[in-house]
PDB file of all heavy atoms in Angstrom:
ATOM      1  N   GLY B  38       3.939 -12.446  -1.536  1.00 94.00           N
ATOM      2  CA  GLY B  38       3.700 -11.260  -2.344  1.00 94.00           C
ATOM      3  C   GLY B  38       2.471 -10.507  -1.861  1.00 94.00           C
ATOM      4  O   GLY B  38       1.756 -10.952  -0.949  1.00 94.00           O
ATOM      5  N   PHE B  39       2.196  -9.385  -2.481  1.00 93.00           N
ATOM      6  CA  PHE B  39       1.094  -8.518  -2.078  1.00 93.00           C
ATOM      7  C   PHE B  39      -0.229  -9.274  -2.030  1.00 93.00           C
ATOM      8  O   PHE B  39      -0.941  -9.238  -1.023  1.00 93.00           O
ATOM      9  CB  PHE B  39       0.996  -7.322  -3.028  1.00 93.00           C
ATOM     10  CG  PHE B  39      -0.127  -6.385  -2.697  1.00 93.00           C
ATOM     11  CD1 PHE B  39       0.012  -5.466  -1.669  1.00 93.00           C
ATOM     12  CD2 PHE B  39      -1.315  -6.427  -3.401  1.00 93.00           C
ATOM     13  CE1 PHE B  39      -1.028  -4.599  -1.347  1.00 93.00           C
ATOM     14  CE2 PHE B  39      -2.365  -5.562  -3.098  1.00 93.00           C
ATOM     15  CZ  PHE B  39      -2.216  -4.648  -2.064  1.00 93.00           C
ATOM     16  N   ASP B  40      -0.579  -9.953  -3.113  1.00 94.00           N
ATOM     17  CA  ASP B  40      -1.859 -10.678  -3.167  1.00 94.00           C
ATOM     18  C   ASP B  40      -1.931 -11.795  -2.140  1.00 94.00           C
ATOM     19  O   ASP B  40      -2.976 -12.027  -1.526  1.00 94.00           O
ATOM     20  CB  ASP B  40      -2.111 -11.222  -4.568  1.00 94.00           C
ATOM     21  CG  ASP B  40      -2.360 -10.117  -5.586  1.00 94.00           C
ATOM     22  OD1 ASP B  40      -2.875  -9.054  -5.187  1.00 94.00           O
ATOM     23  OD2 ASP B  40      -2.037 -10.324  -6.773  1.00 94.00           O
ATOM     24  N   ASP B  41      -0.808 -12.506  -1.949  1.00 95.00           N
ATOM     25  CA  ASP B  41      -0.773 -13.601  -0.970  1.00 95.00           C
ATOM     26  C   ASP B  41      -1.052 -13.081   0.436  1.00 95.00           C
ATOM     27  O   ASP B  41      -1.832 -13.664   1.189  1.00 95.00           O
ATOM     28  CB  ASP B  41       0.597 -14.296  -0.987  1.00 95.00           C
ATOM     29  CG  ASP B  41       0.907 -14.929  -2.327  1.00 95.00           C
ATOM     30  OD1 ASP B  41       0.038 -15.653  -2.851  1.00 95.00           O
ATOM     31  OD2 ASP B  41       2.014 -14.698  -2.844  1.00 95.00           O
ATOM     32  N   LEU B  42      -0.411 -11.990   0.794  1.00 95.00           N
ATOM     33  CA  LEU B  42      -0.588 -11.438   2.137  1.00 95.00           C
ATOM     34  C   LEU B  42      -1.951 -10.793   2.314  1.00 95.00           C
ATOM     35  O   LEU B  42      -2.553 -10.884   3.389  1.00 95.00           O
ATOM     36  CB  LEU B  42       0.529 -10.438   2.456  1.00 95.00           C
ATOM     37  CG  LEU B  42       1.928 -11.027   2.586  1.00 95.00           C
ATOM     38  CD1 LEU B  42       2.935  -9.935   2.926  1.00 95.00           C
ATOM     39  CD2 LEU B  42       1.977 -12.133   3.622  1.00 95.00           C
ATOM     40  N   LEU B  43      -2.454 -10.148   1.253  1.00 94.00           N
ATOM     41  CA  LEU B  43      -3.764  -9.507   1.325  1.00 94.00           C
ATOM     42  C   LEU B  43      -4.855 -10.522   1.669  1.00 94.00           C
ATOM     43  O   LEU B  43      -5.754 -10.238   2.462  1.00 94.00           O
ATOM     44  CB  LEU B  43      -4.073  -8.815  -0.004  1.00 94.00           C
ATOM     45  CG  LEU B  43      -5.282  -7.897  -0.032  1.00 94.00           C
ATOM     46  CD1 LEU B  43      -5.118  -6.750   0.956  1.00 94.00           C
ATOM     47  CD2 LEU B  43      -5.492  -7.352  -1.443  1.00 94.00           C
ATOM     48  N   LYS B  44      -4.758 -11.717   1.107  1.00 95.00           N
ATOM     49  CA  LYS B  44      -5.722 -12.785   1.393  1.00 95.00           C
ATOM     50  C   LYS B  44      -5.734 -13.150   2.877  1.00 95.00           C
ATOM     51  O   LYS B  44      -6.735 -13.615   3.403  1.00 95.00           O
ATOM     52  CB  LYS B  44      -5.407 -14.033   0.568  1.00 95.00           C
ATOM     53  CG  LYS B  44      -5.664 -13.879  -0.907  1.00 95.00           C
ATOM     54  CD  LYS B  44      -5.197 -15.104  -1.666  1.00 95.00           C
ATOM     55  CE  LYS B  44      -5.244 -14.867  -3.163  1.00 95.00           C
ATOM     56  NZ  LYS B  44      -4.620 -15.976  -3.907  1.00 95.00           N
ATOM     57  N   GLN B  45      -4.612 -12.939   3.545  1.00 95.00           N
ATOM     58  CA  GLN B  45      -4.486 -13.268   4.966  1.00 95.00           C
ATOM     59  C   GLN B  45      -4.704 -12.046   5.860  1.00 95.00           C
ATOM     60  O   GLN B  45      -4.538 -12.116   7.075  1.00 95.00           O
ATOM     61  CB  GLN B  45      -3.094 -13.842   5.239  1.00 95.00           C
ATOM     62  CG  GLN B  45      -2.797 -15.106   4.465  1.00 95.00           C
ATOM     63  CD  GLN B  45      -1.374 -15.565   4.702  1.00 95.00           C
ATOM     64  OE1 GLN B  45      -0.926 -15.614   5.844  1.00 95.00           O
ATOM     65  NE2 GLN B  45      -0.656 -15.893   3.643  1.00 95.00           N
ATOM     66  N   GLY B  46      -5.031 -10.902   5.235  1.00 96.00           N
ATOM     67  CA  GLY B  46      -5.227  -9.681   6.006  1.00 96.00           C
ATOM     68  C   GLY B  46      -3.927  -9.132   6.568  1.00 96.00           C
ATOM     69  O   GLY B  46      -3.921  -8.492   7.621  1.00 96.00           O
ATOM     70  N   MET B  47      -2.837  -9.370   5.861  1.00 94.00           N
ATOM     71  CA  MET B  47      -1.513  -8.947   6.337  1.00 94.00           C
ATOM     72  C   MET B  47      -0.834  -8.090   5.279  1.00 94.00           C
ATOM     73  O   MET B  47      -1.231  -8.074   4.119  1.00 94.00           O
ATOM     74  CB  MET B  47      -0.650 -10.186   6.633  1.00 94.00           C
ATOM     75  CG  MET B  47      -1.212 -11.090   7.703  1.00 94.00           C
ATOM     76  SD  MET B  47      -0.339 -12.678   7.835  1.00 94.00           S
ATOM     77  CE  MET B  47       1.302 -12.168   8.222  1.00 94.00           C
ATOM     78  N   LEU B  48       0.217  -7.400   5.694  1.00 90.00           N
ATOM     79  CA  LEU B  48       1.077  -6.678   4.778  1.00 90.00           C
ATOM     80  C   LEU B  48       2.441  -6.502   5.417  1.00 90.00           C
ATOM     81  O   LEU B  48       2.606  -6.738   6.608  1.00 90.00           O
ATOM     82  CB  LEU B  48       0.476  -5.314   4.412  1.00 90.00           C
ATOM     83  CG  LEU B  48       0.201  -4.331   5.556  1.00 90.00           C
ATOM     84  CD1 LEU B  48       1.397  -3.444   5.813  1.00 90.00           C
ATOM     85  CD2 LEU B  48      -1.013  -3.494   5.225  1.00 90.00           C
ATOM     86  N   TRP B  49       3.410  -6.138   4.609  1.00 85.00           N
ATOM     87  CA  TRP B  49       4.713  -5.834   5.185  1.00 85.00           C
ATOM     88  C   TRP B  49       5.059  -4.395   4.834  1.00 85.00           C
ATOM     89  O   TRP B  49       4.624  -3.853   3.831  1.00 85.00           O
ATOM     90  CB  TRP B  49       5.798  -6.815   4.751  1.00 85.00           C
ATOM     91  CG  TRP B  49       6.048  -6.969   3.279  1.00 85.00           C
ATOM     92  CD1 TRP B  49       5.458  -7.860   2.440  1.00 85.00           C
ATOM     93  CD2 TRP B  49       6.972  -6.217   2.466  1.00 85.00           C
ATOM     94  NE1 TRP B  49       5.939  -7.704   1.162  1.00 85.00           N
ATOM     95  CE2 TRP B  49       6.881  -6.706   1.146  1.00 85.00           C
ATOM     96  CE3 TRP B  49       7.856  -5.192   2.736  1.00 85.00           C
ATOM     97  CZ2 TRP B  49       7.640  -6.196   0.114  1.00 85.00           C
ATOM     98  CZ3 TRP B  49       8.620  -4.680   1.680  1.00 85.00           C
ATOM     99  CH2 TRP B  49       8.506  -5.194   0.391  1.00 85.00           C
ATOM    100  N   VAL B  50       5.804  -3.756   5.736  1.00 87.00           N
ATOM    101  CA  VAL B  50       6.146  -2.344   5.603  1.00 87.00           C
ATOM    102  C   VAL B  50       7.645  -2.180   5.805  1.00 87.00           C
ATOM    103  O   VAL B  50       8.213  -2.712   6.760  1.00 87.00           O
ATOM    104  CB  VAL B  50       5.387  -1.498   6.660  1.00 87.00           C
ATOM    105  CG1 VAL B  50       5.805  -0.043   6.579  1.00 87.00           C
ATOM    106  CG2 VAL B  50       3.887  -1.650   6.489  1.00 87.00           C
ATOM    107  N   LEU B  51       8.257  -1.448   4.925  1.00 84.00           N
ATOM    108  CA  LEU B  51       9.675  -1.131   5.039  1.00 84.00           C
ATOM    109  C   LEU B  51       9.791   0.206   5.749  1.00 84.00           C
ATOM    110  O   LEU B  51       9.230   1.208   5.298  1.00 84.00           O
ATOM    111  CB  LEU B  51      10.296  -1.056   3.645  1.00 84.00           C
ATOM    112  CG  LEU B  51      11.782  -0.841   3.543  1.00 84.00           C
ATOM    113  CD1 LEU B  51      12.533  -2.009   4.171  1.00 84.00           C
ATOM    114  CD2 LEU B  51      12.176  -0.681   2.093  1.00 84.00           C
ATOM    115  N   THR B  52      10.464   0.239   6.874  1.00 90.00           N
ATOM    116  CA  THR B  52      10.535   1.475   7.652  1.00 90.00           C
ATOM    117  C   THR B  52      11.894   2.167   7.612  1.00 90.00           C
ATOM    118  O   THR B  52      12.009   3.335   7.954  1.00 90.00           O
ATOM    119  CB  THR B  52      10.178   1.211   9.127  1.00 90.00           C
ATOM    120  OG1 THR B  52      11.104   0.259   9.662  1.00 90.00           O
ATOM    121  CG2 THR B  52       8.762   0.699   9.249  1.00 90.00           C
TER     122      THR B  52
END
Side-chain angles (χ1 to χ4, degrees):
F39 179 79
D40 292 331
D41 298 311
L42 293 181
L43 190 61
K44 290 174 189 172
Q45 300 176 47
M47 299 170 60
L48 59 90
W49 57 269
V50 177
L51 184 63
T52 60

